[in-house]
Amino acid sequence: MKKELKTTEGAAPVGAYSQGLVVGDFVYTSGAGPLDPQTGEVVGDDVAAQTHQVMRNLGAILAAHGLGFDDVVKSTVHLQHLKRDFKAYNEVYRSYFNAPYPVRTTVGSELMDILVEIDFVAHKSA
């Protein structure tokens, strides 16, 4: 059984997908971009600013189910310019987590008008 997560505090979907789904004790988010939840516009001109906005959007989706960044167990990250932007993105990303960090895959991807997109898998402890 799955339950859809929705929040106006995170960017609204721009296609046929949910912001997040709860399946059992797990929360799965869609890939979030650096969009302002109120305007739908891209926030930031560099990867650091965009990563902060992505993390705010994902944090809002997690919070809609009573979770936080410490509940994240897996992330997948897409960077438009992997080699150029990895260090700056990683510094911002790291600031949202405590050790042990979630497992993570980071890849270079062709993204539409954004520099970073991230999705999470989080676990809700009983």
Side-chain angles (χ1 to χ4, degrees):
M1 189 146 115
K2 60 186 175 182
K3 174 187 165 192
E4 183 176 18
L5 290 180
K6 290 183 183 181
T7 179
T8 58
E9 300 298 313
V14 295
Y17 58 90
S18 301
Q19 285 176 316
L21 291 175
V22 179
V23 182
D25 291 338
F26 288 91
V27 170
Y28 300 85
T29 72
S30 288
L35 303 180
D36 180 287
Q38 277 65 51
T39 67
E41 298 294 320
V42 174
V43 173
D45 294 330
D46 61 39
V47 77
Q50 288 194 11
T51 301
H52 277 297
Q53 184 61 44
V54 168
M55 298 301 274
R56 286 190 290 269
N57 288 339
L58 288 168
I61 295 166
L62 293 172
H65 194 60
L67 299 176
F69 291 105
D70 285 341
D71 299 303
V72 176
V73 296
K74 167 86 170 95
S75 67
T76 304
V77 181
H78 297 266
L79 294 174
Q80 178 76 263
H81 305 287
L82 181 61
K83 188 172 184 177
R84 180 191 81 184
D85 289 344
F86 182 85
K87 183 177 178 182
Y89 131 78
N90 193 54
E91 285 180 24
V92 173
Y93 177 94
R94 178 190 311 232
S95 72
Y96 285 84
F97 294 102
N98 297 304
Y101 299 106
V103 297
R104 178 177 78 184
T105 301
T106 305
V107 297
S109 295
E110 186 173 336
L111 300 172
M112 291 177 35
D113 303 320
I114 60 174
L115 299 174
V116 58
E117 181 176 356
I118 302 172
D119 69 74
F120 288 156
V121 177
H123 183 259
K124 184 168 184 146
S125 301

